[in-house]
Amino acid sequence: MKSKNINRRDFLKIIGLTTASSTGLLGCAAKGEHENNVSQQTTGTTATTGQMTYRNLSDKTEDKVSLLGYGCMRWPTIPSPDGKGDLIDQDEVNRLVDYAIEHGVNYFDTSPVYVQGWSEKATGIALKRHPRESFKIATKLSNFSNFTRENSIKMYEQSFVDMQVDYIDYYLLHSIGNGGIKTFNARYIDNGMLDFLVKEREAGRIRHLGFSFHGTQDVFDQVLAMHDRVHWDFVQIQLNYVDWRHASGANVNAEYLYAELEKRNIPAVIMEPLLGGRLSNLPDHIVTRLKRQRPESSVASWAFRFAGSFPKVLTVLSGMTYMEHLQDNLSTYSPLVPLTKDEQQFLFDTADLIAQYPTIPCNDCKYCMPCPYGIDIPAVLLHYNKCVNEGNIPQDSQSEDYRRARRAFLIGYDRSVPRLRQASHCIGCGQCNPHCPQSIDIPHELHRIDHFVEQLKQDK
């Protein structure tokens, strides 16, 4: 990203253009990073103050956590005044945080790498305006590329500075599983970081210690087996009604992950309840199916009710970029109406139908970014998925709909992704693949889409 090259002095100049409430550095984010969560989520409902459902971390503590957790990976952005990328819209972040806290949300999840490295600062600025006891902050040791003890401790200590806190409520080893157990050991065992963090918990600077997981079952099992020695206070897993039995790539079905946590009485924090927005942007016939069952409810509310209905779920994270998304999710959990057995089976049947559609399992997390060749990887993959869901993937040139679908795909592609950032510029270096939590073979998909685009252009 070009905006990532803006230095500290340039950012300080930019800050002078914002209002007084935005006191601190603003951050860069990929353009359009929230667009995939827009279409079918909201119903126009507003939340009721004081009705939030809460869960206790354990029977031994009164540490109540809101069932709706705020994921801080998709903060709203505004164009940078210098035209180089986007900046976090701190005023809007403040407004969203204020509304969330007012309506009972007290769990905020961030990371040193979210929003191109600026999420912790923006989250800290917004939360600092509230009493410390009114919120719980979760962040992570995101030491993906530099595993040294020195760098890892520096990252850990910087989180306290950026978020302006003297203790962290929930601290996670970030996205374990990718790279296998060898990578896990390099990140957390060989350098002594896990022992360091356990001691930090004993000292009170970390209140609860856990890990987030994407990857293969063998890594999950081995790390979970450390529970007797480490005592994992919580574990963050990807769970939704599709991944329950249809997890993509190398990821493990959520049914297995949750069962293993429940067996050990470890609370689960849920990420990707909407699969990066894909469960709020469904094919029309799936939307009709859901609306026929509960006309008054949003499409997204089905996914949130599913995730929240499991008793060992502590909180369900949602990256709410827009106020209407926050209000809709608040209404779902204020209070939660758990799924009945019939409704749960209805969603399992719905998941079977969704699994028949050949979408790419991109959740728009942007861990693959920035691409060294300037490709907007998530935008390319999400445009393809959008066209699949809308029936705009041209297949049979003899079909009456072929020309319409061809035109819709090509025009939409140029509008969604600038030509210099399209799949045609991928050289297959593979730098992105190790960072993808969904284990997508990104160069393969980019080349496949580019070949498809070139065929459409030639078939006039």
Side-chain angles (χ1 to χ4, degrees), residues 285-333:
H285 75 280
I286 300 291
V287 173
T288 300
R289 173 183 170 85
L290 295 173
K291 283 293 186 180
R292 189 183 300 123
Q293 193 80 359
R294 285 175 64 94
E296 76 284 359
S297 298
S298 69
V299 171
S301 68
W302 279 100
F304 284 100
R305 287 181 64 215
F306 178 84
S309 292
F310 295 96
K312 290 304 295 182
V313 167
L314 180 66
T315 188
V316 180
L317 303 177
S318 178
M320 297 166 284
T321 309
Y322 300 112
M323 181 63 75
E324 56 264 34
H325 293 171
L326 173 58
Q327 290 173 337
D328 187 50
N329 294 342
L330 284 168
S331 67
T332 300
Y333 285 151

Side-chain angles (χ1 to χ4, degrees), residues 184-342:
F184 174 83
N185 288 337
R187 291 177 66 189
Y188 301 117
I189 304 300
D190 300 341
N191 58 10
M193 281 308 299
L194 182 55
D195 290 335
F196 171 82
L197 295 174
V198 169
K199 290 179 181 177
E200 286 292 282
R201 180 175 59 183
E202 293 171 355
R205 280 168 50 91
I206 293 173
R207 298 294 169 87
H208 308 293
L209 182 63
F211 64 87
S212 65
F213 172 77
H214 290 285
T216 57
Q217 182 179 321
D218 62 320
V219 179
F220 182 78
D221 290 344
Q222 290 182 64
V223 176
L224 203 58
M226 298 179 183
H227 182 54
D228 292 339
R229 178 172 71 87
V230 177
H231 181 78
W232 301 116
D233 296 306
F234 67 105
V235 174
Q236 186 166 309
I237 60 173
Q238 181 168 314
L239 183 150
N240 51 71
Y241 63 85
V242 170
D243 280 330
W244 189 253
R245 293 173 182 165
H246 296 284
S248 59
N251 284 330
V252 185
N253 284 348
E255 182 178 23
Y256 177 84
L257 300 178
Y258 178 80
E260 291 301 302
L261 296 179
E262 186 177 42
K263 188 189 304 180
R264 294 167 176 80
N265 199 32
I266 300 175
V269 171
I270 304 307
M271 57 183 161
E272 302 296 351
L274 283 180
L275 266 177
R278 281 184 283 149
L279 296 186
S280 63
N281 290 276
L282 294 165
D284 289 344
H285 75 280
I286 300 291
V287 173
T288 300
R289 173 183 170 85
L290 295 173
K291 283 293 186 180
R292 189 183 300 123
Q293 193 80 359
R294 285 175 64 94
E296 76 284 359
S297 298
S298 69
V299 171
S301 68
W302 279 100
F304 284 100
R305 287 181 64 215
F306 178 84
S309 292
F310 295 96
K312 290 304 295 182
V313 167
L314 180 66
T315 188
V316 180
L317 303 177
S318 178
M320 297 166 284
T321 309
Y322 300 112
M323 181 63 75
E324 56 264 34
H325 293 171
L326 173 58
Q327 290 173 337
D328 187 50
N329 294 342
L330 284 168
S331 67
T332 300
Y333 285 151
S334 301
L336 168 71
V337 178
L339 291 177
T340 65
K341 288 185 178 180
D342 287 344

